[in-house]
Amino acid sequence: MELIDAFETAFKEWDRLVHEVGERQWDDPTPCSDWNVRDLVNHLVGEHLWAPHLLNGETLAEVGDRFDGDVVGDAPVAAWEEAGSASHSAFHRKGALRGSVHVTGGKTPASEYGWQMTTDLAVHGWDLAQGIGVRSRMPDELADAVHDHIAPQAGSWHESGIFDPPVPVPDDAVPQDRLVALLGRHP
């Protein structure tokens, strides 16, 4: 699966799930122990607010702290729609995934940044589905593509505390379960 196709697939599923959050579910827990449903959506909204700026070549210093803290206010769905729309356009801009972008660890290839954002959408989409009690519809092709891309670096992510250690799954586990287990979730 090509990066832009993986991004598009993960984006659509995340968007579907955000629109399924019930009015009384924003404070419900998610598999991310530090985040409830609202916090999780806030995290992704923040990430997608950054994307157009980073893909346009801005540095972290140029973007500054404008997307720190609560970026969803009293309207998390509307905040996602606005941030998601701008991010979606930025990722689909011709040439957007060529070159490099500035991230916390320094400059990284824009394509690697694209995979990181795709991973966040896919895995946090699963987290959101769990938090609101609906079925995640992550296609096998997406789960396999994300898993294959992140597996080589997952060990360093565990060591740095970004994700919990992997959870064992049976050899015949579906691709979605293999992916989320790799990043410390219990499918």
Side-chain angles (χ1 to χ4, degrees):
M1 178 174 244
E2 296 293 321
L3 169 56
I4 199 65
D5 297 326
F7 176 84
E8 185 69 20
T9 302
F11 185 95
K12 284 181 180 177
E13 175 64 355
W14 170 263
D15 184 71
R16 175 188 75 82
L17 291 164
V18 170
H19 285 90
E20 285 197 26
V21 177
E23 188 177 310
R24 296 178 186 205
Q25 292 181 304
W26 293 103
D27 291 325
D28 288 355
T30 70
C32 302
S33 60
D34 293 338
W35 291 337
N36 61 24
V37 169
R38 185 182 187 286
D39 297 331
L40 182 63
V41 172
N42 187 72
H43 169 67
L44 265 287
V45 169
E47 292 291 316
H48 285 267
L49 287 169
W50 276 87
H53 299 277
L54 298 180
L55 290 168
N56 281 327
E58 291 180 50
T59 66
L60 300 179
E62 289 170 329
V63 177
D65 62 1
R66 67 183 113 167
F67 304 129
D68 290 354
D70 180 6
V71 293
V72 298
D74 294 332
V77 175
W80 161 249
E81 289 171 345
E82 185 176 335
S85 176
S87 174
H88 189 270
S89 294
F91 273 99
H92 284 79
R93 183 179 44 81
K94 186 175 181 169
L97 296 173
R98 293 187 207 125
S100 59
V101 297
H102 296 270
V103 294
T104 305
K107 280 185 118 178
T108 193
S111 59
E112 181 56 33
Y113 174 65
W115 278 110
Q116 291 170 8
M117 293 293 282
T118 300
T119 299
D120 261 10
L121 286 164
V123 174
H124 287 317
W126 183 88
D127 293 333
L128 183 57
Q130 300 302 302
I132 63 173
V134 300
R135 184 178 160 273
S136 172
R137 297 183 196 154
M138 187 187 311
D140 289 351
E141 186 179 21
L142 172 62
D144 282 337
V146 172
H147 183 280
D148 292 350
H149 187 79
I150 66 169
Q153 53 205 329
S156 64
W157 292 350
H158 302 137
E159 290 172 12
S160 68
I162 295 173
F163 291 104
D164 289 339
V167 173
V169 292
D171 291 340
D172 63 348
V174 297
Q176 175 180 265
D177 290 354
R178 285 186 28 238
L179 171 60
V180 299
L182 176 66
L183 298 178
R185 279 123 171 112
H186 295 270

